[in-house]
Short mmCIF file of all heavy atoms in Angstrom, two decimals:
data_model
loop_
_atom_site.label_atom_id
_atom_site.label_comp_id
_atom_site.label_asym_id
_atom_site.label_seq_id
_atom_site.Cartn_x
_atom_site.Cartn_y
_atom_site.Cartn_z
N ARG A 1 112.91 -178.41 64.57
CA ARG A 1 111.69 -178.15 63.80
C ARG A 1 111.97 -178.49 62.34
O ARG A 1 113.12 -178.44 61.90
CB ARG A 1 111.21 -176.73 63.97
CG ARG A 1 112.11 -175.66 63.42
CD ARG A 1 111.45 -174.28 63.58
NE ARG A 1 112.31 -173.20 63.21
CZ ARG A 1 112.47 -172.76 61.96
NH1 ARG A 1 111.85 -173.33 60.96
NH2 ARG A 1 113.27 -171.74 61.71
N PRO A 2 110.91 -178.82 61.59
CA PRO A 2 111.13 -179.13 60.18
C PRO A 2 111.50 -177.87 59.39
O PRO A 2 111.03 -176.77 59.71
CB PRO A 2 109.79 -179.69 59.71
CG PRO A 2 108.81 -179.36 60.77
CD PRO A 2 109.54 -178.99 62.02
N ASP A 3 112.33 -178.05 58.40
CA ASP A 3 112.68 -176.94 57.51
C ASP A 3 111.47 -176.66 56.61
O ASP A 3 110.98 -177.56 55.94
CB ASP A 3 113.88 -177.35 56.65
CG ASP A 3 114.39 -176.24 55.76
OD1 ASP A 3 113.60 -175.37 55.35
OD2 ASP A 3 115.60 -176.26 55.46
N PRO A 4 110.98 -175.42 56.60
CA PRO A 4 109.80 -175.12 55.79
C PRO A 4 110.05 -175.27 54.29
O PRO A 4 109.10 -175.45 53.52
CB PRO A 4 109.46 -173.67 56.15
CG PRO A 4 110.69 -173.12 56.76
CD PRO A 4 111.46 -174.26 57.33
N ASN A 5 111.33 -175.25 53.88
CA ASN A 5 111.66 -175.37 52.46
C ASN A 5 111.98 -176.79 52.02
O ASN A 5 112.03 -177.06 50.83
CB ASN A 5 112.84 -174.46 52.12
CG ASN A 5 112.52 -173.01 52.41
OD1 ASN A 5 111.44 -172.53 52.08
ND2 ASN A 5 113.44 -172.32 53.06
N ASP A 6 112.23 -177.67 52.98
CA ASP A 6 112.57 -179.06 52.65
C ASP A 6 112.23 -179.93 53.85
O ASP A 6 112.99 -179.99 54.81
CB ASP A 6 114.05 -179.17 52.32
CG ASP A 6 114.46 -180.55 51.83
OD1 ASP A 6 113.68 -181.52 52.01
OD2 ASP A 6 115.58 -180.67 51.30
N ARG A 7 111.11 -180.57 53.81
CA ARG A 7 110.64 -181.31 54.98
C ARG A 7 111.50 -182.52 55.33
O ARG A 7 111.34 -183.11 56.39
CB ARG A 7 109.18 -181.72 54.81
CG ARG A 7 108.92 -182.46 53.57
CD ARG A 7 107.47 -182.78 53.40
NE ARG A 7 107.46 -183.91 52.49
CZ ARG A 7 106.43 -184.52 52.05
NH1 ARG A 7 105.26 -184.14 52.45
NH2 ARG A 7 106.54 -185.52 51.24
N ARG A 8 112.47 -182.86 54.48
CA ARG A 8 113.42 -183.94 54.82
C ARG A 8 114.49 -183.45 55.79
O ARG A 8 115.19 -184.24 56.40
CB ARG A 8 114.11 -184.46 53.55
CG ARG A 8 113.17 -185.11 52.56
CD ARG A 8 113.89 -185.36 51.26
NE ARG A 8 114.28 -184.06 50.70
CZ ARG A 8 115.09 -183.90 49.66
NH1 ARG A 8 115.60 -184.94 49.05
NH2 ARG A 8 115.39 -182.69 49.23
N VAL A 9 114.61 -182.12 55.93
CA VAL A 9 115.67 -181.51 56.74
C VAL A 9 115.09 -181.07 58.08
O VAL A 9 114.02 -180.48 58.15
CB VAL A 9 116.27 -180.30 56.01
CG1 VAL A 9 117.29 -179.58 56.89
CG2 VAL A 9 116.90 -180.74 54.69
N THR A 10 115.84 -181.38 59.13
CA THR A 10 115.48 -180.91 60.47
C THR A 10 116.38 -179.74 60.82
O THR A 10 117.60 -179.82 60.69
CB THR A 10 115.67 -182.04 61.51
OG1 THR A 10 114.79 -183.11 61.18
CG2 THR A 10 115.39 -181.55 62.92
N LEU A 11 115.76 -178.66 61.26
CA LEU A 11 116.50 -177.49 61.72
C LEU A 11 116.58 -177.50 63.24
O LEU A 11 115.67 -177.98 63.91
CB LEU A 11 115.82 -176.20 61.26
CG LEU A 11 115.75 -175.99 59.74
CD1 LEU A 11 114.98 -174.71 59.44
CD2 LEU A 11 117.14 -175.94 59.13
N VAL A 12 117.64 -176.96 63.75
CA VAL A 12 117.83 -176.83 65.20
C VAL A 12 117.95 -175.34 65.48
O VAL A 12 118.67 -174.62 64.79
CB VAL A 12 119.12 -177.56 65.66
CG1 VAL A 12 119.29 -177.43 67.16
CG2 VAL A 12 119.10 -179.02 65.22
N GLU A 13 117.23 -174.88 66.50
CA GLU A 13 117.32 -173.47 66.89
C GLU A 13 117.38 -173.36 68.40
O GLU A 13 116.87 -174.21 69.13
CB GLU A 13 116.16 -172.67 66.33
CG GLU A 13 114.80 -173.08 66.83
CD GLU A 13 113.67 -172.33 66.14
OE1 GLU A 13 113.90 -171.28 65.52
OE2 GLU A 13 112.54 -172.81 66.23
N ARG A 14 118.06 -172.28 68.85
CA ARG A 14 118.14 -172.02 70.29
C ARG A 14 116.79 -171.57 70.80
O ARG A 14 116.04 -170.88 70.12
CB ARG A 14 119.16 -170.93 70.59
CG ARG A 14 120.58 -171.38 70.60
CD ARG A 14 121.51 -170.34 71.21
NE ARG A 14 121.23 -168.98 70.85
CZ ARG A 14 121.91 -168.28 69.94
NH1 ARG A 14 122.92 -168.83 69.31
NH2 ARG A 14 121.60 -167.03 69.68
N THR A 15 116.51 -171.94 72.04
CA THR A 15 115.34 -171.44 72.75
C THR A 15 115.75 -170.17 73.50
O THR A 15 116.93 -169.80 73.51
CB THR A 15 114.84 -172.48 73.76
OG1 THR A 15 115.89 -172.70 74.72
CG2 THR A 15 114.45 -173.79 73.09
N ARG A 16 114.80 -169.53 74.15
CA ARG A 16 115.16 -168.36 74.98
C ARG A 16 116.16 -168.74 76.05
O ARG A 16 117.08 -167.99 76.35
CB ARG A 16 113.90 -167.78 75.62
CG ARG A 16 113.08 -166.98 74.67
CD ARG A 16 111.98 -166.26 75.40
NE ARG A 16 111.09 -165.68 74.41
CZ ARG A 16 109.82 -165.42 74.62
NH1 ARG A 16 109.28 -165.66 75.79
NH2 ARG A 16 109.09 -164.90 73.67
N GLU A 17 115.95 -169.92 76.65
CA GLU A 17 116.90 -170.37 77.68
C GLU A 17 118.28 -170.62 77.06
O GLU A 17 119.31 -170.31 77.66
CB GLU A 17 116.38 -171.64 78.37
CG GLU A 17 117.27 -172.17 79.47
CD GLU A 17 117.45 -171.23 80.66
OE1 GLU A 17 116.79 -170.18 80.75
OE2 GLU A 17 118.29 -171.56 81.53
N GLY A 18 118.31 -171.16 75.86
CA GLY A 18 119.58 -171.35 75.16
C GLY A 18 120.27 -170.03 74.88
O GLY A 18 121.49 -169.91 75.01
N ASP A 19 119.49 -169.02 74.50
CA ASP A 19 120.04 -167.67 74.29
C ASP A 19 120.64 -167.14 75.59
O ASP A 19 121.72 -166.55 75.59
CB ASP A 19 118.95 -166.70 73.82
CG ASP A 19 118.49 -166.95 72.39
OD1 ASP A 19 119.21 -167.62 71.62
OD2 ASP A 19 117.40 -166.46 72.05
N ARG A 20 119.92 -167.35 76.68
CA ARG A 20 120.38 -166.84 77.98
C ARG A 20 121.70 -167.50 78.39
O ARG A 20 122.64 -166.82 78.82
CB ARG A 20 119.31 -167.09 79.05
CG ARG A 20 119.61 -166.42 80.39
CD ARG A 20 118.58 -166.78 81.44
NE ARG A 20 118.70 -168.15 81.89
CZ ARG A 20 119.66 -168.61 82.69
NH1 ARG A 20 120.60 -167.81 83.14
NH2 ARG A 20 119.69 -169.88 83.06
N ILE A 21 121.77 -168.81 78.22
CA ILE A 21 123.00 -169.53 78.59
C ILE A 21 124.15 -169.11 77.69
O ILE A 21 125.27 -168.89 78.16
CB ILE A 21 122.77 -171.06 78.51
CG1 ILE A 21 121.74 -171.51 79.56
CG2 ILE A 21 124.09 -171.83 78.66
CD1 ILE A 21 122.15 -171.27 80.99
N ARG A 22 123.90 -168.97 76.42
CA ARG A 22 124.94 -168.55 75.48
C ARG A 22 125.48 -167.17 75.88
O ARG A 22 126.69 -166.94 75.88
CB ARG A 22 124.40 -168.51 74.06
CG ARG A 22 125.46 -168.12 73.04
CD ARG A 22 124.85 -168.18 71.64
NE ARG A 22 125.85 -167.89 70.66
CZ ARG A 22 126.02 -166.68 70.09
NH1 ARG A 22 125.25 -165.68 70.43
NH2 ARG A 22 126.94 -166.51 69.18
N GLN A 23 124.60 -166.27 76.22
CA GLN A 23 125.01 -164.92 76.65
C GLN A 23 125.84 -165.00 77.94
O GLN A 23 126.84 -164.31 78.08
CB GLN A 23 123.78 -164.03 76.85
CG GLN A 23 124.10 -162.61 77.23
CD GLN A 23 124.80 -161.84 76.12
OE1 GLN A 23 124.73 -162.19 74.96
NE2 GLN A 23 125.49 -160.79 76.50
N ARG A 24 125.41 -165.83 78.89
CA ARG A 24 126.17 -165.99 80.14
C ARG A 24 127.57 -166.49 79.88
O ARG A 24 128.53 -166.05 80.51
CB ARG A 24 125.46 -166.97 81.08
CG ARG A 24 124.40 -166.35 81.94
CD ARG A 24 123.89 -167.37 82.95
NE ARG A 24 124.94 -167.81 83.85
CZ ARG A 24 125.09 -167.38 85.09
NH1 ARG A 24 124.25 -166.49 85.58
NH2 ARG A 24 126.05 -167.84 85.85
N LEU A 25 127.70 -167.45 78.95
CA LEU A 25 129.03 -167.99 78.63
C LEU A 25 129.94 -166.88 78.10
O LEU A 25 131.10 -166.77 78.51
CB LEU A 25 128.92 -169.11 77.60
CG LEU A 25 128.31 -170.42 78.08
CD1 LEU A 25 128.01 -171.33 76.91
CD2 LEU A 25 129.22 -171.11 79.08
N ALA A 26 129.42 -166.06 77.21
CA ALA A 26 130.23 -164.98 76.64
C ALA A 26 130.57 -163.94 77.69
O ALA A 26 131.73 -163.51 77.80
CB ALA A 26 129.48 -164.34 75.47
N MET A 27 129.60 -163.54 78.48
CA MET A 27 129.84 -162.48 79.46
C MET A 27 130.77 -162.93 80.57
O MET A 27 131.60 -162.16 81.04
CB MET A 27 128.52 -161.96 80.02
CG MET A 27 127.67 -161.21 78.99
SD MET A 27 128.59 -160.05 77.92
CE MET A 27 129.23 -158.89 79.10
N ARG A 28 130.65 -164.16 81.00
CA ARG A 28 131.54 -164.65 82.06
C ARG A 28 132.99 -164.61 81.59
O ARG A 28 133.89 -164.27 82.36
CB ARG A 28 131.13 -166.07 82.47
CG ARG A 28 132.01 -166.72 83.50
CD ARG A 28 131.60 -166.33 84.91
NE ARG A 28 132.45 -166.92 85.91
CZ ARG A 28 132.19 -168.04 86.58
NH1 ARG A 28 131.08 -168.70 86.35
NH2 ARG A 28 133.02 -168.50 87.47
N ALA A 29 133.22 -164.93 80.33
CA ALA A 29 134.58 -164.87 79.80
C ALA A 29 135.09 -163.43 79.83
O ALA A 29 136.21 -163.16 80.27
CB ALA A 29 134.61 -165.42 78.37
N PHE A 30 134.27 -162.47 79.41
CA PHE A 30 134.70 -161.08 79.37
C PHE A 30 134.80 -160.46 80.75
O PHE A 30 135.54 -159.51 80.96
CB PHE A 30 133.78 -160.25 78.47
CG PHE A 30 133.99 -160.55 77.02
CD1 PHE A 30 133.02 -161.18 76.28
CD2 PHE A 30 135.19 -160.22 76.41
CE1 PHE A 30 133.23 -161.47 74.94
CE2 PHE A 30 135.41 -160.51 75.07
CZ PHE A 30 134.43 -161.13 74.34
N ASP A 31 134.06 -160.98 81.71
CA ASP A 31 134.14 -160.46 83.08
C ASP A 31 135.54 -160.63 83.67
O ASP A 31 135.91 -159.91 84.59
CB ASP A 31 133.12 -161.16 83.99
CG ASP A 31 131.71 -160.69 83.72
OD1 ASP A 31 131.52 -159.66 83.03
OD2 ASP A 31 130.76 -161.36 84.20
N ARG A 32 136.31 -161.57 83.14
CA ARG A 32 137.66 -161.81 83.65
C ARG A 32 138.65 -160.74 83.17
O ARG A 32 139.77 -160.69 83.64
CB ARG A 32 138.16 -163.18 83.25
CG ARG A 32 137.40 -164.31 83.92
CD ARG A 32 138.04 -165.64 83.66
NE ARG A 32 139.45 -165.69 84.00
CZ ARG A 32 139.94 -165.92 85.21
NH1 ARG A 32 139.13 -166.12 86.22
NH2 ARG A 32 141.24 -165.97 85.41
N LEU A 33 138.26 -159.93 82.22
CA LEU A 33 139.16 -158.90 81.70
C LEU A 33 139.05 -157.66 82.58
O LEU A 33 138.17 -156.83 82.42
CB LEU A 33 138.80 -158.56 80.25
CG LEU A 33 138.90 -159.72 79.26
CD1 LEU A 33 138.44 -159.27 77.88
CD2 LEU A 33 140.30 -160.29 79.21
N ALA A 34 139.96 -157.55 83.53
CA ALA A 34 139.89 -156.51 84.54
C ALA A 34 139.86 -155.11 83.95
O ALA A 34 139.15 -154.24 84.45
CB ALA A 34 141.07 -156.65 85.51
N GLY A 35 140.60 -154.86 82.89
CA GLY A 35 140.68 -153.52 82.34
C GLY A 35 139.53 -153.14 81.42
O GLY A 35 139.45 -152.00 80.97
N ARG A 36 138.64 -154.07 81.15
CA ARG A 36 137.52 -153.80 80.24
C ARG A 36 136.68 -152.63 80.72
O ARG A 36 136.26 -151.79 79.93
CB ARG A 36 136.67 -155.06 80.09
CG ARG A 36 135.52 -154.90 79.15
CD ARG A 36 134.82 -156.26 78.96
NE ARG A 36 133.55 -156.04 78.33
CZ ARG A 36 132.39 -155.99 78.98
NH1 ARG A 36 132.35 -156.17 80.27
NH2 ARG A 36 131.28 -155.77 78.34
N GLN A 37 136.44 -152.54 82.02
CA GLN A 37 135.60 -151.47 82.57
C GLN A 37 136.27 -150.11 82.46
O GLN A 37 135.62 -149.08 82.56
CB GLN A 37 135.23 -151.75 84.03
CG GLN A 37 134.26 -152.90 84.22
CD GLN A 37 134.90 -154.27 84.03
OE1 GLN A 37 136.12 -154.44 84.12
NE2 GLN A 37 134.08 -155.27 83.76
N ASP A 38 137.60 -150.10 82.28
CA ASP A 38 138.33 -148.84 82.18
C ASP A 38 138.30 -148.25 80.77
O ASP A 38 138.73 -147.11 80.58
CB ASP A 38 139.80 -149.04 82.59
CG ASP A 38 139.94 -149.47 84.05
OD1 ASP A 38 139.02 -149.16 84.84
OD2 ASP A 38 140.94 -150.12 84.37
N LEU A 39 137.81 -149.02 79.81
CA LEU A 39 137.76 -148.54 78.42
C LEU A 39 136.44 -147.82 78.17
O LEU A 39 135.38 -148.25 78.62
CB LEU A 39 137.90 -149.71 77.45
CG LEU A 39 139.21 -150.49 77.51
CD1 LEU A 39 139.17 -151.67 76.54
CD2 LEU A 39 140.40 -149.59 77.20
N SER A 40 136.53 -146.73 77.43
CA SER A 40 135.32 -146.00 77.07
C SER A 40 134.58 -146.77 75.97
O SER A 40 135.13 -147.68 75.35
CB SER A 40 135.69 -144.60 76.56
OG SER A 40 136.32 -144.72 75.28
N ALA A 41 133.35 -146.36 75.71
CA ALA A 41 132.57 -146.97 74.64
C ALA A 41 133.29 -146.81 73.30
O ALA A 41 133.31 -147.73 72.47
CB ALA A 41 131.17 -146.38 74.59
N THR A 42 133.90 -145.66 73.09
CA THR A 42 134.64 -145.41 71.84
C THR A 42 135.85 -146.33 71.74
O THR A 42 136.12 -146.89 70.67
CB THR A 42 135.08 -143.93 71.77
OG1 THR A 42 133.92 -143.11 71.85
CG2 THR A 42 135.85 -143.63 70.50
N GLU A 43 136.58 -146.49 72.84
CA GLU A 43 137.74 -147.38 72.82
C GLU A 43 137.33 -148.82 72.57
O GLU A 43 137.99 -149.54 71.80
CB GLU A 43 138.50 -147.28 74.15
CG GLU A 43 139.23 -145.96 74.33
CD GLU A 43 139.80 -145.80 75.73
OE1 GLU A 43 139.13 -146.17 76.71
OE2 GLU A 43 140.93 -145.28 75.82
N LEU A 44 136.24 -149.26 73.20
CA LEU A 44 135.76 -150.62 72.95
C LEU A 44 135.34 -150.80 71.50
O LEU A 44 135.65 -151.84 70.88
CB LEU A 44 134.59 -150.95 73.88
CG LEU A 44 134.96 -151.25 75.33
CD1 LEU A 44 133.70 -151.34 76.19
CD2 LEU A 44 135.77 -152.53 75.43
N ALA A 45 134.66 -149.82 70.93
CA ALA A 45 134.25 -149.90 69.52
C ALA A 45 135.48 -149.97 68.61
O ALA A 45 135.51 -150.75 67.65
CB ALA A 45 133.37 -148.72 69.15
N THR A 46 136.51 -149.19 68.93
CA THR A 46 137.74 -149.21 68.15
C THR A 46 138.43 -150.57 68.28
O THR A 46 138.91 -151.13 67.28
CB THR A 46 138.70 -148.09 68.61
OG1 THR A 46 138.05 -146.83 68.43
CG2 THR A 46 140.01 -148.12 67.84
N LEU A 47 138.45 -151.11 69.48
CA LEU A 47 139.05 -152.42 69.70
C LEU A 47 138.33 -153.49 68.87
O LEU A 47 138.97 -154.30 68.20
CB LEU A 47 139.01 -152.79 71.18
CG LEU A 47 139.53 -154.18 71.56
CD1 LEU A 47 140.99 -154.35 71.15
CD2 LEU A 47 139.34 -154.41 73.05
N VAL A 48 137.02 -153.46 68.89
CA VAL A 48 136.24 -154.42 68.09
C VAL A 48 136.57 -154.27 66.61
O VAL A 48 136.82 -155.26 65.91
CB VAL A 48 134.72 -154.25 68.34
CG1 VAL A 48 133.91 -155.03 67.32
CG2 VAL A 48 134.36 -154.66 69.75
#
């Protein structure tokens, strides 16, 4: 889409489908971490 501040510039943005695929990519990677489900919400927040 055109940049509203500079019509010479083209902006690129994700669509809803792009958001969905991006989320799937991230979650599939984390699904491989077997011990992730064993951590509490507090432990995960601390890890982050």
Side-chain angles (χ1 to χ4, degrees):
R1 66 176 174 84
D3 184 331
N5 300 316
D6 185 345
R7 54 183 202 180
R8 296 170 297 170
V9 175
T10 298
L11 297 177
V12 181
E13 63 185 343
R14 280 193 319 258
T15 62
R16 283 189 189 154
E17 181 64 7
D19 288 342
R20 188 185 71 73
I21 295 298
R22 182 177 183 262
Q23 183 67 21
R24 274 187 62 102
L25 289 169
M27 292 317 298
R28 177 85 181 263
F30 287 112
D31 286 347
R32 292 189 53 84
L33 299 177
R36 182 174 166 261
Q37 290 75 20
D38 297 335
L39 298 176
S40 70
T42 302
E43 289 171 320
L44 285 171
T46 300
L47 177 60
V48 169

